[in-house]
Amino acid sequence: MVGTATETDRAWAVLRQVPDPEVPVLSVCDLGIVRAVHVRGRGVDVVLTPTYSGCPATEVIAQSVHDALAAAGFGPVTLTTRRAPAWTTDWISDEGRRKLRDYGIAPPSGQAAVHDGAVPIRIQVRGVDCPRCGSPDTERLSAFGSTACKALYRCLACREPFEFFKPI
Amino acid sequence: MTAVAESLRLNLTPPVRYVLRWADACLIHAQRLSEWCGHGPVLEEDIALTNMALDLIGQARGLLTLAGQLEGQRFDEDQLAFLREEGDFLNPTLVELPMRRSSAHSPGGDFADTVVRNLLLATWLKQAWQRMASSSDAELAAIAAKALKEARYHQQHAADWVIRLGDGTDESHARMERALARAWPYTAELFAGDTVDEAAAAAGLGPSRAALRDDWLREIDAVLAGATLARPADTPFVSTGTQGVHSEHMGFILAEMQSLQRRYPGGTW
């Protein structure tokens, strides 16, 4: 039996409440890592994709998704990891970008840097606006940040440091 | 009485060997990078080195899982990482050489060795992932497409450092020169050819290492030019880690990496 549209909608609604453990202001749906939801009767299959190969949150996210759906009455809940196509920050929703900015993290542009990398000079990411004061006058402090997905920046206008969600 | 985990007996067919080589290159490189955790020259770099190690471990996990499926006995990523004998590890020798810590044949401890190695390997892996992204094996293609994005960032970061230190003070330039001279003889193995590579290339599984050399050299030369460093001359020496014949340093890495699972088989926390 194929799940009704209502049940599928309900499953998505549950998933929109599951936070990313590293950036709790974002749900797993905002992040774009829920690739498919199939409801069959009371059971549900969810297809997830990892953000970074080594992201330590991957297992926690899978557990959270499982527990939230089970708590909402779905069962059995099966999770599948799908690597292809590879996750890109372009999949972060507009709502997700707004939430990131409000949280103090500069969101990625939505146009992941595509470059052949033939000459490995530093890619100067443009358009990293300060999430606090909005100034485009910012500089990178560190290529890597507190999690795999972020870099550390500083605003030269308001002098506040902030995190930037790296576009990939 | 203490339990001791038995080592795996593996059926190392050419495709399994091919995938294990890339898995082990990532795994052992990550293990060496992890030695910097808490010891980075500056906090930002401590975070960078361990973040890169984390990406590499993630890549290794996917590749080890795939190797386990191809091998046929359903060994998982943990069993393959923790219960293999040294001779069944197939990483190039370069990744196992001491980097942060000193040893009899390597001074270690110089950050220059780390940034040089990161550049050489990130550029190599990037070239490999680019080609492997169109592998005939869908899972290998997916792992590579993802790893490619990460390797690009690693390469850029390593190139930043090589240029900053190479084109830096007389002291930093001299240290970079020595680090490059130490690492260079081990790069021959990164492009050595053999039947495992030929079979993988013929089957469309992935590129031969030899096929990566021209593009790798072009990118390395560009960075070295920016760093005012001369490329060392090639030597006849070819290391043999990818054949399972390792340097004296490998056993110590495995002793540290595997001790817990050997002592407490199947232990979890």
Side-chain angles (χ1 to χ4, degrees), chain A residues 50-54 56 59 83-84 87-88 115-118 120 122-123 140 142-145 147-148 166 168, chain B residues 44 47-48 51-52 54-55 58-59 61-62 126 130 139 142-143 146 149-150 152-153 155-157 159-160 219 223:
Chain A
T51 52
Y52 281 75
S53 299
E59 276 100 4
R83 281 196 178 82
W87 179 78
T88 161
H115 46 84
D116 63 7
R122 180 191 293 176
I123 304 296
R140 192 174 73 170
S142 176
F144 293 83
T147 64
K166 301 184 296 205
I168 67 165
Chain B
E44 289 82 355
I47 292 169
N51 260 287
M52 290 190 283
L54 197 58
D55 286 341
Q59 295 157 12
R61 289 181 63 184
K126 190 189 84 170
Q130 260 169 2
E139 183 63 8
I143 293 167
K146 186 149 208 62
K149 296 178 177 218
E150 293 155 1
R152 276 186 190 135
Y153 204 74
Q155 185 197 30
Q156 287 162 19
H157 185 67
D160 277 354
E219 295 195 349
V223 178

Side-chain angles (χ1 to χ4, degrees), chain B residues 85-220:
Chain B
E85 289 289 328
E86 177 179 320
D88 289 343
F89 274 84
L90 303 175
N91 54 278
T93 303
L94 177 62
V95 300
E96 74 203 37
L97 300 178
M99 192 160 67
R100 189 182 79 77
R101 299 177 193 157
S102 299
S103 71
H105 302 291
S106 166
D110 195 326
F111 185 57
D113 287 298
T114 295
V115 299
V116 164
R117 190 182 302 181
N118 278 342
L119 176 70
L120 300 176
L121 287 169
T123 307
W124 182 62
L125 289 171
K126 190 189 84 170
Q127 292 297 339
W129 304 139
Q130 260 169 2
R131 291 161 176 80
M132 235 179 276
S134 53
S135 170
S136 56
D137 183 295
E139 183 63 8
L140 185 57
I143 293 167
K146 186 149 208 62
L148 175 58
K149 296 178 177 218
E150 293 155 1
R152 276 186 190 135
Y153 204 74
H154 299 181
Q155 185 197 30
Q156 287 162 19
H157 185 67
D160 277 354
W161 270 115
V162 169
I163 291 168
R164 185 194 289 191
L165 295 176
D167 188 21
T169 64
D170 290 345
E171 173 72 14
S172 72
H173 180 86
R175 286 198 193 193
M176 287 296 288
E177 231 168 22
R178 290 198 292 273
L180 192 58
R182 279 193 288 271
W184 198 260
Y186 291 91
T187 60
E189 186 187 7
L190 305 181
F191 310 102
D194 68 359
T195 53
V196 169
D197 269 23
E198 285 162 21
L205 184 61
S208 68
R209 283 171 287 157
L212 309 177
R213 183 168 172 86
D214 289 351
D215 286 341
W216 179 84
L217 207 49
R218 191 168 44 76
E219 295 195 349
I220 294 295

